[in-house]
Amino acid sequence: GIQVEQSPPDLILQEGANSTLRCNFSDSVNNLQWFHQNPWGQLINLFYIPSGTKQNGRLSATTVATERYSLLYISSSQTTDSGVYFCAVRNTGRRALTFGSGTRLQVQP
Amino acid sequence: ETGVTQSPTHLIKTRGQQVTLRCSSQSGHNTVSWYQQALGQGPQFIFQYYREEENGRGNFPPRFSGLQFPNYSSELNVNALELDDSALYLCASSLASGETQYFGPGTRLLVL
């Protein structure tokens, strides 16, 4: 099946810093989603972005489908950004989202 | 618009018992997917239901089974619980099989 790799696995930032999270995938996809999992386990949708670039406030994401990677940018980080960020993909003909192992982000005041 | 809800929030069972977890999909969504998330890992796909039929299954044994009802709510049943079944169980709904999935808050299951 499709492989999803996220980097870095762990990231510690000071409040106000910027960061870039990366997701590499091993096959063509028709669905790519970025999620933020809060400390209570809730997976919060950030972006549905199988290709192209989107922005939502301090967050933006870019997927280059032909090169099989996606990037999530967090600018001016806040302590509430802490948690685990997951990239999940689905390729043609499959039902499931395949998740990466996540990037654990800690933003310190 | 009501989001995805799951019940119960937490559950403790003993090895060998059976458990039923419930999920109500977001209004208008006819597809429900279930995932298991072990501690420190990403969610793993269990199965998907579309219009009351199983529509895909991950690498889980038959003791993991499910149902989808006419109102598109869903149940996940696990028989003969094992210690390794301890995990966060997540339900996601979508408008159709290939569309954006929206997740519920999850059920934390502990098997002793």
Side-chain angles (χ1 to χ4, degrees), chain A residues 65-78:
Chain A
T66 53
E67 296 187 21
R68 298 182 184 170
Y69 73 89
S70 183
L71 302 174
L72 176 69
Y73 305 97
I74 305 174
S75 64
S76 304
S77 59
Q78 301 175 358

Side-chain angles (χ1 to χ4, degrees), chain B residues 4-58:
Chain B
V4 180
T5 61
Q6 292 186 243
S7 62
T9 56
H10 295 82
L11 203 51
I12 300 175
K13 291 285 189 178
T14 56
R15 197 170 43 182
Q17 285 189 311
Q18 178 266 343
V19 68
T20 298
L21 310 182
R22 294 178 176 83
C23 170
S24 291
S25 60
Q26 189 166 315
S27 177
H29 288 186
N30 58 21
T31 303
V32 172
S33 305
W34 286 92
Y35 294 81
Q36 180 196 66
Q37 186 177 17
L39 198 61
Q41 299 180 19
Q44 300 283 317
F45 176 69
I46 303 174
F47 43 57
Q48 183 182 88
Y49 278 84
Y50 171 68
R51 293 187 176 181
E52 302 178 60
E53 297 287 333
E54 188 177 289
N55 189 39
R57 189 177 183 92

